[in-house]
Amino acid sequence: MIHAFLPPRAVVREVGLRDGLQSIARVLSTDHKLEWIRGAHAAGQREIEVGSFVPARLLPQLADTAELLAYAKTLPGLFASVLVPNLKGAERAIDGGADLMVVPLSASHAHSLANLRKTPDEVVAEVGRIRAARDAAGSKTLIDGGVGTAFGCTLQGHVDPEEVLRLMQALLDAGADRVSLADTVGYADPAMVRSLFERALRIAGDRLWCGHFHDTRGMGLANVYAALEVGITRFDACLAGIGGCPHAPGASGNVDTEDLVFMLESMSVATGVDLPKLLDLRGRVAGWLEGETLQGTVWRAGFPKTFTATEGVAA
Ligand code: ZN
């Protein structure tokens, strides 16, 4: 049944290779990562964040991002993104021909100084330099200003929504093509999500790109639903729900890709994803990550008899 109050389709953007793997100490081999990208594409996923252009000494787990990006670009119809913390990383993303680069900004000033060693406004200025470099290179790589700790912060506690919206506007003014909101540490609840995304939509319109939620306290899918109801149609997720939280050992990670696809398809929101193929891939990834804490419920319980996927499988 189609529900008039929900969008007919939504994109589930896989971020397990970046957000998931960066919080796991183990380094997954490049071959396994290539198989993961190939499998996600074969299952119908069309947007994948393949890694991050940070110095390899900081995140050895993601040192092969350039190779993964080059491979992702060979897969038909795949929109490949990377995370870039600064201009140096952005230059690598532009050189590699990424479709989109996410520049993270923390709305929490304490989190920003601790993790990025910059104030949020210094990140905004860096986005201006990235935009200038992108345009000078004649590159088509889109710039997404990812506003993190948008719903609260483990260091600072409360994060003022007014400040989140101010920074979002500043990112757009500095040249970001897109902006996104992230609940980096799992502090959001559906009422907060609804309120902030509604206000953000008034500022950014269709340049508001993506909702990024963590399931740290079991609110992940509820938060997706709240954003979906106000018209957001792109969500980050990690296969097997990997991700964790560096400040809460053992905490659950990002929203789980399989469970999110299941929820959307159950509500007739087409994702283009073949769920049995995705569950098969999850099994392989789980094998490579044996010993790590994985999440998810659909792989364990299977599908209910009443479940029928939409026919929106991507070409
Ligand atoms: Zn995250």
Side-chain angles (χ1 to χ4, degrees):
M1 190 203 301
I2 304 291
H3 302 284
F5 54 96
L6 291 176
R9 60 187 61 81
V11 174
V12 176
R13 207 172 76 99
E14 181 61 46
V15 297
L17 288 133
R18 199 275 303 165
D19 206 356
L21 292 182
Q22 78 175 28
S23 58
I24 290 178
R26 170 191 323 214
V27 179
L28 201 60
S29 75
T30 302
D31 281 347
H32 281 154
K33 291 185 193 178
L34 293 172
E35 191 176 335
W36 184 344
I37 294 169
R38 190 180 315 127
H41 180 264
Q45 287 194 277
R46 288 294 176 268
E47 296 197 18
I48 302 179
E49 192 162 284
V50 297
S52 179
F53 282 126
V54 290
R57 73 189 148 76
L58 294 181
L59 281 176
Q61 301 96 315
L62 307 182
D64 51 3
T65 295
E67 191 177 343
L68 301 179
L69 176 58
Y71 175 69
K73 283 171 55 71
T74 67
L75 296 173
L78 183 63
F79 188 88
S81 63
V82 291
L83 189 132
V84 302
N86 50 33
L87 177 60
K88 231 183 197 139
E91 284 165 349
R92 297 181 68 193
I94 291 166
D95 285 349
D99 293 300
L100 178 125
M101 49 186 162
V102 181
V103 187
L105 174 151
S106 266
S108 154
H109 288 231
H111 190 272
S112 186
L113 289 171
N115 287 275
L116 303 166
R117 292 192 184 81
K118 287 181 196 141
T119 65
D121 289 286
E122 283 167 348
V123 175
V124 170
E126 189 79 349
V127 165
R129 289 186 281 273
I130 289 170
R131 173 63 189 253
R134 191 277 305 269
D135 291 351
S139 154
K140 289 198 177 72
T141 303
L142 293 172
I143 302 164
D144 176 17
V147 183
T149 59
F151 299 90
C153 164
T154 45
L155 301 174
Q156 183 179 307
H158 180 69
V159 173
D160 187 357
E162 301 299 333
E163 178 64 354
V164 173
L165 297 169
R166 179 188 75 82
L167 290 164
M168 171 176 275
Q169 182 66 63
L171 283 166
L172 291 167
D173 293 345
D177 304 291
R178 307 271 188 270
V179 283
S180 297
L181 289 175
D183 180 24
T184 312
V185 292
Y187 274 34
D189 63 53
M192 290 164 78
V193 168
R194 186 182 181 101
S195 161
L196 191 59
F197 271 89
E198 262 179 350
R199 297 183 65 193
L201 272 169
R202 273 180 239 137
I203 292 173
D206 59 8
R207 290 182 294 170
L208 183 54
W209 182 245
C210 193
H212 178 105
F213 300 110
H214 281 246
D215 198 39
T216 320
R217 291 170 183 83
M219 299 280 176
L221 287 181
N223 288 336
V224 167
Y225 185 76
L228 194 68
E229 271 197 316
V230 300
I232 302 301
T233 56
R234 181 176 283 94
F235 300 97
D236 286 350
C238 286
L239 198 65
I242 58 175
C245 171
H247 305 287
S252 45
N254 288 68
V255 164
D256 176 291
T257 306
E258 321 86 83
D259 287 4
L260 174 54
V261 169
F262 173 75
M263 181 180 85
L264 293 169
E265 292 283 333
S266 295
M267 301 188 298
S268 301
V269 178
T271 62
V273 176
D274 181 319
L275 207 39
K277 275 190 188 168
L278 191 68
L279 287 173
D280 181 67
L281 176 63
R282 181 217 152 89
R284 277 180 282 153
V285 172
W288 306 332
L289 295 176
E290 212 182 328
E292 304 291 345
T293 307
L294 304 180
Q295 311 294 334
T297 57
V298 173
W299 71 276
R300 205 182 304 134
F303 303 126
K305 276 188 176 162
T306 48
F307 176 72
T308 44
T310 69
E311 293 179 32
V313 173

Short mmCIF file of all heavy atoms in Angstrom, two decimals, residues 11-17 19-20 36 39-41 43-49 213 215 220-221 224 235-243 253-265 271 273-275 277-279 281-282 285 295-299 303:
data_model
loop_
_atom_site.label_atom_id
_atom_site.label_comp_id
_atom_site.label_asym_id
_atom_site.label_seq_id
_atom_site.Cartn_x
_atom_site.Cartn_y
_atom_site.Cartn_z
N VAL A 11 16.71 7.11 -0.60
CA VAL A 11 18.05 6.56 -0.85
C VAL A 11 18.67 6.16 0.49
O VAL A 11 18.68 6.94 1.43
CB VAL A 11 18.96 7.62 -1.53
CG1 VAL A 11 20.39 7.11 -1.65
CG2 VAL A 11 18.40 8.01 -2.89
N VAL A 12 19.18 4.93 0.54
CA VAL A 12 19.95 4.51 1.71
C VAL A 12 21.42 4.54 1.29
O VAL A 12 21.87 3.76 0.46
CB VAL A 12 19.55 3.09 2.16
CG1 VAL A 12 20.43 2.64 3.32
CG2 VAL A 12 18.08 3.07 2.57
N ARG A 13 22.14 5.51 1.86
CA ARG A 13 23.54 5.73 1.48
C ARG A 13 24.41 4.89 2.41
O ARG A 13 24.37 5.06 3.63
CB ARG A 13 23.85 7.22 1.66
CG ARG A 13 24.92 7.78 0.80
CD ARG A 13 24.95 9.30 0.98
NE ARG A 13 25.56 9.65 2.24
CZ ARG A 13 26.84 10.03 2.37
NH1 ARG A 13 27.61 10.12 1.31
NH2 ARG A 13 27.33 10.32 3.54
N GLU A 14 25.21 4.00 1.83
CA GLU A 14 26.05 3.13 2.68
C GLU A 14 27.27 3.89 3.17
O GLU A 14 28.05 4.41 2.36
CB GLU A 14 26.48 1.90 1.86
CG GLU A 14 27.33 0.91 2.64
CD GLU A 14 26.59 0.34 3.85
OE1 GLU A 14 25.42 -0.05 3.72
OE2 GLU A 14 27.19 0.31 4.95
N VAL A 15 27.43 3.95 4.48
CA VAL A 15 28.62 4.63 5.04
C VAL A 15 29.44 3.68 5.92
O VAL A 15 30.34 4.12 6.64
CB VAL A 15 28.26 5.92 5.82
CG1 VAL A 15 27.63 6.95 4.88
CG2 VAL A 15 27.33 5.65 7.00
N GLY A 16 29.16 2.38 5.81
CA GLY A 16 29.88 1.42 6.63
C GLY A 16 31.38 1.41 6.37
O GLY A 16 32.18 1.21 7.29
N LEU A 17 31.76 1.66 5.11
CA LEU A 17 33.19 1.62 4.77
C LEU A 17 33.94 2.81 5.34
O LEU A 17 35.16 2.81 5.40
CB LEU A 17 33.35 1.58 3.25
CG LEU A 17 32.94 0.24 2.64
CD1 LEU A 17 32.04 0.43 1.44
CD2 LEU A 17 34.17 -0.59 2.28
N ASP A 19 32.25 5.46 8.12
CA ASP A 19 31.87 5.70 9.52
C ASP A 19 31.98 4.40 10.33
O ASP A 19 32.38 4.41 11.49
CB ASP A 19 30.43 6.23 9.58
CG ASP A 19 30.17 7.05 10.82
OD1 ASP A 19 31.06 7.16 11.68
OD2 ASP A 19 29.05 7.60 10.95
N GLY A 20 31.61 3.28 9.69
CA GLY A 20 31.66 2.00 10.39
C GLY A 20 33.09 1.57 10.67
O GLY A 20 33.49 1.36 11.82
N TRP A 36 32.95 -5.71 -0.80
CA TRP A 36 31.81 -5.05 -0.15
C TRP A 36 31.15 -4.05 -1.12
O TRP A 36 29.94 -4.04 -1.31
CB TRP A 36 32.30 -4.35 1.12
CG TRP A 36 31.23 -3.71 1.97
CD1 TRP A 36 29.94 -3.42 1.61
CD2 TRP A 36 31.37 -3.29 3.33
NE1 TRP A 36 29.28 -2.82 2.66
CE2 TRP A 36 30.12 -2.74 3.72
CE3 TRP A 36 32.42 -3.31 4.25
CZ2 TRP A 36 29.92 -2.22 5.01
CZ3 TRP A 36 32.21 -2.79 5.51
CH2 TRP A 36 30.97 -2.26 5.90
N GLY A 39 29.41 -5.87 -3.88
CA GLY A 39 28.20 -6.53 -3.39
C GLY A 39 27.08 -5.53 -3.12
O GLY A 39 25.91 -5.80 -3.41
N ALA A 40 27.42 -4.38 -2.57
CA ALA A 40 26.40 -3.36 -2.28
C ALA A 40 25.80 -2.84 -3.58
O ALA A 40 24.59 -2.66 -3.71
CB ALA A 40 27.02 -2.21 -1.48
N HIS A 41 26.67 -2.65 -4.57
CA HIS A 41 26.20 -2.19 -5.89
C HIS A 41 25.31 -3.26 -6.53
O HIS A 41 24.23 -2.96 -7.06
CB HIS A 41 27.40 -1.87 -6.78
CG HIS A 41 27.02 -1.40 -8.15
ND1 HIS A 41 26.96 -2.24 -9.24
CD2 HIS A 41 26.66 -0.17 -8.60
CE1 HIS A 41 26.60 -1.54 -10.31
NE2 HIS A 41 26.41 -0.29 -9.94
N ALA A 43 23.54 -5.38 -5.05
CA ALA A 43 22.27 -5.45 -4.31
C ALA A 43 21.39 -4.24 -4.59
O ALA A 43 20.26 -4.17 -4.09
CB ALA A 43 22.54 -5.57 -2.81
N GLY A 44 21.90 -3.28 -5.37
CA GLY A 44 21.07 -2.14 -5.76
C GLY A 44 21.42 -0.83 -5.08
O GLY A 44 20.82 0.20 -5.38
N GLN A 45 22.40 -0.83 -4.18
CA GLN A 45 22.78 0.44 -3.55
C GLN A 45 23.50 1.31 -4.58
O GLN A 45 24.36 0.83 -5.31
CB GLN A 45 23.65 0.20 -2.32
CG GLN A 45 22.85 -0.36 -1.14
CD GLN A 45 23.61 -0.29 0.17
OE1 GLN A 45 24.43 -1.14 0.48
NE2 GLN A 45 23.33 0.74 0.96
N ARG A 46 23.13 2.58 -4.64
CA ARG A 46 23.68 3.46 -5.67
C ARG A 46 24.43 4.65 -5.10
O ARG A 46 24.92 5.50 -5.85
CB ARG A 46 22.56 3.95 -6.60
CG ARG A 46 22.05 2.84 -7.52
CD ARG A 46 23.12 2.41 -8.51
NE ARG A 46 22.71 1.29 -9.36
CZ ARG A 46 22.92 0.00 -9.07
NH1 ARG A 46 23.55 -0.34 -7.95
NH2 ARG A 46 22.53 -0.95 -9.88
N GLU A 47 24.52 4.73 -3.77
CA GLU A 47 25.33 5.79 -3.15
C GLU A 47 26.14 5.14 -2.03
O GLU A 47 25.58 4.53 -1.12
CB GLU A 47 24.44 6.91 -2.60
CG GLU A 47 23.67 7.62 -3.71
CD GLU A 47 23.10 8.98 -3.30
OE1 GLU A 47 23.57 9.55 -2.29
OE2 GLU A 47 22.19 9.45 -4.00
N ILE A 48 27.46 5.27 -2.13
CA ILE A 48 28.35 4.66 -1.14
C ILE A 48 29.44 5.66 -0.77
O ILE A 48 30.06 6.26 -1.66
CB ILE A 48 29.00 3.36 -1.69
CG1 ILE A 48 27.93 2.35 -2.11
CG2 ILE A 48 29.94 2.75 -0.65
CD1 ILE A 48 28.49 1.05 -2.70
N GLU A 49 29.64 5.82 0.53
CA GLU A 49 30.79 6.61 0.99
C GLU A 49 31.93 5.62 1.18
O GLU A 49 31.89 4.76 2.06
CB GLU A 49 30.45 7.32 2.30
CG GLU A 49 31.47 8.36 2.68
CD GLU A 49 30.91 9.34 3.71
OE1 GLU A 49 30.12 10.21 3.33
OE2 GLU A 49 31.27 9.22 4.89
N PHE A 213 21.98 9.23 11.27
CA PHE A 213 21.59 8.91 12.64
C PHE A 213 22.36 7.70 13.16
O PHE A 213 22.66 6.76 12.42
CB PHE A 213 20.08 8.61 12.70
CG PHE A 213 19.24 9.78 12.25
CD1 PHE A 213 18.55 9.73 11.05
CD2 PHE A 213 19.18 10.93 13.02
CE1 PHE A 213 17.79 10.81 10.63
CE2 PHE A 213 18.42 12.02 12.61
CZ PHE A 213 17.73 11.95 11.41
N ASP A 215 22.34 4.71 16.24
CA ASP A 215 21.34 3.97 17.03
C ASP A 215 21.83 3.74 18.46
O ASP A 215 21.44 2.76 19.10
CB ASP A 215 21.04 2.63 16.34
CG ASP A 215 19.75 2.02 16.83
OD1 ASP A 215 18.79 2.79 17.06
OD2 ASP A 215 19.70 0.79 17.02
N GLY A 220 17.49 5.12 16.40
CA GLY A 220 17.91 5.32 15.00
C GLY A 220 16.77 5.30 13.99
O GLY A 220 16.57 6.26 13.25
N LEU A 221 16.02 4.20 13.95
CA LEU A 221 14.97 4.08 12.93
C LEU A 221 13.82 5.05 13.20
O LEU A 221 13.22 5.58 12.27
CB LEU A 221 14.44 2.64 12.88
CG LEU A 221 15.38 1.61 12.25
CD1 LEU A 221 14.70 0.23 12.24
CD2 LEU A 221 15.78 2.00 10.83
N VAL A 224 14.87 8.26 11.75
CA VAL A 224 14.73 8.25 10.30
C VAL A 224 13.28 8.51 9.93
O VAL A 224 12.97 9.33 9.05
CB VAL A 224 15.17 6.89 9.71
CG1 VAL A 224 14.71 6.77 8.26
CG2 VAL A 224 16.69 6.72 9.80
N PHE A 235 19.26 8.80 3.59
CA PHE A 235 19.71 8.47 4.94
C PHE A 235 20.99 7.65 4.90
O PHE A 235 21.12 6.74 4.09
CB PHE A 235 18.62 7.68 5.69
CG PHE A 235 17.33 8.44 5.81
CD1 PHE A 235 16.29 8.23 4.91
CD2 PHE A 235 17.18 9.42 6.77
CE1 PHE A 235 15.12 8.97 4.98
CE2 PHE A 235 16.01 10.16 6.86
CZ PHE A 235 14.98 9.94 5.96
N ASP A 236 21.91 7.98 5.79
CA ASP A 236 23.13 7.20 5.94
C ASP A 236 22.84 5.97 6.79
O ASP A 236 22.02 6.02 7.73
CB ASP A 236 24.21 8.03 6.65
CG ASP A 236 24.81 9.09 5.74
OD1 ASP A 236 24.53 9.06 4.52
OD2 ASP A 236 25.57 9.93 6.24
N ALA A 237 23.55 4.89 6.49
CA ALA A 237 23.41 3.67 7.29
C ALA A 237 24.65 2.80 7.09
O ALA A 237 25.37 2.95 6.10
CB ALA A 237 22.16 2.89 6.86
N CYS A 238 24.88 1.92 8.06
CA CYS A 238 26.02 1.01 7.99
C CYS A 238 25.52 -0.44 7.98
O CYS A 238 24.72 -0.82 8.85
CB CYS A 238 26.93 1.16 9.20
SG CYS A 238 27.94 2.65 9.19
N LEU A 239 26.02 -1.21 7.03
CA LEU A 239 25.70 -2.63 7.00
C LEU A 239 26.07 -3.26 8.34
O LEU A 239 27.13 -2.96 8.91
CB LEU A 239 26.50 -3.30 5.87
CG LEU A 239 25.99 -4.67 5.41
CD1 LEU A 239 24.60 -4.57 4.77
CD2 LEU A 239 26.96 -5.31 4.43
N ALA A 240 25.17 -4.08 8.87
CA ALA A 240 25.36 -4.74 10.17
C ALA A 240 25.45 -3.74 11.33
O ALA A 240 25.84 -4.09 12.43
CB ALA A 240 26.59 -5.66 10.18
N GLY A 241 25.07 -2.49 11.05
CA GLY A 241 25.01 -1.49 12.12
C GLY A 241 26.33 -1.20 12.79
O GLY A 241 26.36 -0.78 13.95
N ILE A 242 27.43 -1.41 12.06
CA ILE A 242 28.73 -1.14 12.69
C ILE A 242 28.89 0.38 12.87
O ILE A 242 28.18 1.16 12.28
CB ILE A 242 29.92 -1.73 11.89
CG1 ILE A 242 29.98 -1.19 10.47
CG2 ILE A 242 29.83 -3.25 11.88
CD1 ILE A 242 31.20 -1.66 9.70
N GLY A 243 29.80 0.77 13.68
CA GLY A 243 30.01 2.20 13.88
C GLY A 243 30.43 2.54 15.29
O GLY A 243 31.47 3.12 15.50
N GLY A 253 26.03 1.18 16.89
CA GLY A 253 26.60 2.13 15.94
C GLY A 253 25.58 2.88 15.11
O GLY A 253 24.54 3.32 15.61
N ASN A 254 25.89 3.05 13.84
CA ASN A 254 24.99 3.75 12.93
C ASN A 254 23.70 2.96 12.76
O ASN A 254 23.64 1.76 13.07
CB ASN A 254 25.65 3.86 11.54
CG ASN A 254 26.78 4.86 11.52
OD1 ASN A 254 27.81 4.64 12.13
ND2 ASN A 254 26.58 5.95 10.81
N VAL A 255 22.71 3.63 12.22
CA VAL A 255 21.50 2.91 11.79
C VAL A 255 21.93 1.76 10.88
O VAL A 255 22.83 1.91 10.06
CB VAL A 255 20.56 3.88 11.03
CG1 VAL A 255 19.50 3.15 10.25
CG2 VAL A 255 19.94 4.87 12.01
N ASP A 256 21.29 0.62 11.06
CA ASP A 256 21.66 -0.60 10.35
C ASP A 256 21.04 -0.60 8.95
O ASP A 256 19.83 -0.43 8.80
CB ASP A 256 21.13 -1.77 11.20
CG ASP A 256 21.36 -3.11 10.56
OD1 ASP A 256 20.72 -3.40 9.54
OD2 ASP A 256 22.16 -3.87 11.10
N THR A 257 21.86 -0.79 7.93
CA THR A 257 21.39 -0.70 6.54
C THR A 257 20.25 -1.66 6.25
O THR A 257 19.23 -1.26 5.66
CB THR A 257 22.55 -0.98 5.56
OG1 THR A 257 23.64 -0.10 5.86
CG2 THR A 257 22.12 -0.79 4.13
N GLU A 258 20.42 -2.92 6.63
CA GLU A 258 19.39 -3.91 6.28
C GLU A 258 18.07 -3.60 6.95
O GLU A 258 17.00 -3.72 6.34
CB GLU A 258 19.78 -5.34 6.68
CG GLU A 258 21.20 -5.76 6.51
CD GLU A 258 22.04 -5.38 7.73
OE1 GLU A 258 22.06 -6.11 8.73
OE2 GLU A 258 22.69 -4.32 7.65
N ASP A 259 18.14 -3.22 8.23
CA ASP A 259 16.90 -2.92 8.96
C ASP A 259 16.23 -1.67 8.40
O ASP A 259 15.00 -1.60 8.31
CB ASP A 259 17.19 -2.72 10.46
CG ASP A 259 17.52 -4.04 11.17
OD1 ASP A 259 17.59 -5.08 10.50
OD2 ASP A 259 17.70 -4.01 12.40
N LEU A 260 17.04 -0.70 7.99
CA LEU A 260 16.47 0.53 7.42
C LEU A 260 15.80 0.22 6.07
O LEU A 260 14.67 0.67 5.82
CB LEU A 260 17.57 1.58 7.25
CG LEU A 260 17.17 2.86 6.52
CD1 LEU A 260 15.95 3.52 7.14
CD2 LEU A 260 18.34 3.85 6.50
N VAL A 261 16.47 -0.56 5.22
CA VAL A 261 15.86 -0.92 3.94
C VAL A 261 14.57 -1.68 4.19
O VAL A 261 13.54 -1.41 3.54
CB VAL A 261 16.84 -1.77 3.08
CG1 VAL A 261 16.12 -2.38 1.88
CG2 VAL A 261 18.02 -0.92 2.62
N PHE A 262 14.60 -2.59 5.15
CA PHE A 262 13.39 -3.36 5.47
C PHE A 262 12.25 -2.44 5.90
O PHE A 262 11.12 -2.57 5.44
CB PHE A 262 13.70 -4.38 6.58
CG PHE A 262 12.47 -5.09 7.08
CD1 PHE A 262 11.87 -6.08 6.31
CD2 PHE A 262 11.91 -4.75 8.29
CE1 PHE A 262 10.72 -6.72 6.76
CE2 PHE A 262 10.76 -5.38 8.75
CZ PHE A 262 10.17 -6.37 7.98
N MET A 263 12.55 -1.48 6.78
CA MET A 263 11.51 -0.57 7.25
C MET A 263 10.91 0.22 6.09
O MET A 263 9.69 0.33 5.95
CB MET A 263 12.06 0.39 8.31
CG MET A 263 10.98 1.34 8.85
SD MET A 263 11.58 2.50 10.11
CE MET A 263 12.24 3.83 9.11
N LEU A 264 11.80 0.77 5.24
CA LEU A 264 11.32 1.60 4.14
C LEU A 264 10.48 0.78 3.16
O LEU A 264 9.38 1.17 2.77
CB LEU A 264 12.50 2.25 3.42
CG LEU A 264 13.27 3.30 4.25
CD1 LEU A 264 14.58 3.68 3.56
CD2 LEU A 264 12.42 4.54 4.51
N GLU A 265 11.00 -0.39 2.78
CA GLU A 265 10.28 -1.23 1.82
C GLU A 265 8.95 -1.70 2.40
O GLU A 265 7.95 -1.82 1.69
CB GLU A 265 11.15 -2.43 1.42
CG GLU A 265 12.38 -2.05 0.59
CD GLU A 265 12.05 -1.73 -0.86
OE1 GLU A 265 11.04 -2.25 -1.38
OE2 GLU A 265 12.80 -0.95 -1.49
N THR A 271 13.46 1.63 -2.28
CA THR A 271 14.89 1.92 -2.06
C THR A 271 15.76 1.44 -3.22
O THR A 271 16.93 1.79 -3.29
CB THR A 271 15.40 1.21 -0.79
OG1 THR A 271 15.26 -0.20 -1.00
CG2 THR A 271 14.62 1.64 0.44
N VAL A 273 16.80 -1.46 -3.44
CA VAL A 273 17.72 -2.47 -2.89
C VAL A 273 17.04 -3.84 -2.84
O VAL A 273 15.89 -3.96 -2.42
CB VAL A 273 18.20 -2.05 -1.48
CG1 VAL A 273 19.07 -3.14 -0.87
CG2 VAL A 273 18.96 -0.73 -1.56
N ASP A 274 17.78 -4.84 -3.28
CA ASP A 274 17.35 -6.24 -3.19
C ASP A 274 17.77 -6.76 -1.82
O ASP A 274 18.94 -7.03 -1.58
CB ASP A 274 18.02 -7.01 -4.32
CG ASP A 274 17.62 -8.49 -4.34
OD1 ASP A 274 17.52 -9.10 -3.26
OD2 ASP A 274 17.41 -9.02 -5.45
N LEU A 275 16.78 -6.90 -0.94
CA LEU A 275 17.09 -7.20 0.46
C LEU A 275 17.74 -8.57 0.66
O LEU A 275 18.71 -8.68 1.43
CB LEU A 275 15.81 -7.06 1.30
CG LEU A 275 15.92 -6.70 2.76
CD1 LEU A 275 17.01 -5.69 3.07
CD2 LEU A 275 14.58 -6.18 3.26
N LYS A 277 19.75 -10.09 -1.33
CA LYS A 277 21.15 -9.92 -1.75
C LYS A 277 21.94 -9.14 -0.70
O LYS A 277 23.11 -9.42 -0.43
CB LYS A 277 21.22 -9.16 -3.08
CG LYS A 277 21.06 -10.04 -4.30
CD LYS A 277 21.40 -9.24 -5.55
CE LYS A 277 21.06 -10.04 -6.79
NZ LYS A 277 21.09 -9.21 -8.00
N LEU A 278 21.28 -8.15 -0.11
CA LEU A 278 21.94 -7.33 0.91
C LEU A 278 22.24 -8.18 2.15
O LEU A 278 23.30 -8.06 2.76
CB LEU A 278 21.05 -6.13 1.27
CG LEU A 278 21.71 -5.05 2.12
CD1 LEU A 278 22.80 -4.33 1.33
CD2 LEU A 278 20.68 -4.05 2.61
N LEU A 279 21.29 -9.05 2.52
CA LEU A 279 21.51 -9.91 3.69
C LEU A 279 22.63 -10.91 3.42
O LEU A 279 23.40 -11.25 4.33
CB LEU A 279 20.21 -10.64 4.06
CG LEU A 279 19.14 -9.74 4.71
CD1 LEU A 279 17.83 -10.50 4.89
CD2 LEU A 279 19.62 -9.20 6.05
N LEU A 281 25.23 -10.27 1.56
CA LEU A 281 26.45 -9.47 1.72
C LEU A 281 26.75 -9.25 3.21
O LEU A 281 27.89 -9.33 3.64
CB LEU A 281 26.29 -8.12 1.00
CG LEU A 281 27.45 -7.12 1.17
CD1 LEU A 281 28.73 -7.68 0.56
CD2 LEU A 281 27.09 -5.78 0.53
N ARG A 282 25.72 -8.97 3.97
CA ARG A 282 25.90 -8.78 5.41
C ARG A 282 26.58 -10.02 6.03
O ARG A 282 27.48 -9.89 6.86
CB ARG A 282 24.55 -8.57 6.10
CG ARG A 282 24.72 -8.35 7.60
CD ARG A 282 23.61 -9.00 8.43
NE ARG A 282 24.12 -9.34 9.75
CZ ARG A 282 24.12 -8.54 10.81
NH1 ARG A 282 23.58 -7.37 10.72
NH2 ARG A 282 24.64 -8.94 11.94
N VAL A 285 30.28 -9.86 5.17
CA VAL A 285 30.97 -8.82 5.94
C VAL A 285 31.09 -9.25 7.41
O VAL A 285 32.13 -9.06 8.04
CB VAL A 285 30.23 -7.46 5.81
CG1 VAL A 285 30.81 -6.42 6.75
CG2 VAL A 285 30.31 -6.96 4.35
N GLN A 295 25.19 -5.33 14.76
CA GLN A 295 23.81 -5.04 15.14
C GLN A 295 22.87 -5.58 14.07
O GLN A 295 23.29 -6.19 13.11
CB GLN A 295 23.61 -3.52 15.30
CG GLN A 295 24.64 -2.82 16.16
CD GLN A 295 24.59 -3.24 17.62
OE1 GLN A 295 23.54 -3.67 18.11
NE2 GLN A 295 25.72 -3.12 18.31
N GLY A 296 21.61 -5.26 14.23
CA GLY A 296 20.62 -5.62 13.22
C GLY A 296 19.69 -6.71 13.72
O GLY A 296 20.07 -7.53 14.57
N THR A 297 18.47 -6.69 13.18
CA THR A 297 17.47 -7.67 13.63
C THR A 297 16.92 -8.50 12.47
O THR A 297 16.59 -9.66 12.66
CB THR A 297 16.29 -6.94 14.30
OG1 THR A 297 15.77 -5.99 13.37
CG2 THR A 297 16.73 -6.22 15.56
N VAL A 298 16.82 -7.92 11.28
CA VAL A 298 16.17 -8.64 10.18
C VAL A 298 16.96 -9.89 9.79
O VAL A 298 16.39 -10.94 9.50
CB VAL A 298 15.99 -7.70 8.96
CG1 VAL A 298 15.47 -8.48 7.75
CG2 VAL A 298 15.03 -6.57 9.30
N TRP A 299 18.29 -9.81 9.81
CA TRP A 299 19.10 -10.97 9.43
C TRP A 299 18.85 -12.14 10.38
O TRP A 299 18.94 -13.30 9.98
CB TRP A 299 20.59 -10.62 9.44
CG TRP A 299 21.16 -10.42 10.82
CD1 TRP A 299 21.11 -9.29 11.56
CD2 TRP A 299 21.83 -11.40 11.62
NE1 TRP A 299 21.70 -9.48 12.78
CE2 TRP A 299 22.15 -10.78 12.85
CE3 TRP A 299 22.19 -12.74 11.44
CZ2 TRP A 299 22.82 -11.44 13.88
CZ3 TRP A 299 22.86 -13.40 12.47
CH2 TRP A 299 23.16 -12.76 13.66
N PHE A 303 12.16 -12.51 7.18
CA PHE A 303 11.06 -11.63 6.77
C PHE A 303 9.73 -12.16 7.29
O PHE A 303 9.51 -13.37 7.31
CB PHE A 303 10.98 -11.56 5.25
CG PHE A 303 12.25 -11.09 4.61
CD1 PHE A 303 12.86 -11.85 3.61
CD2 PHE A 303 12.84 -9.91 5.01
CE1 PHE A 303 14.04 -11.42 3.03
CE2 PHE A 303 14.02 -9.47 4.43
CZ PHE A 303 14.62 -10.24 3.44
#
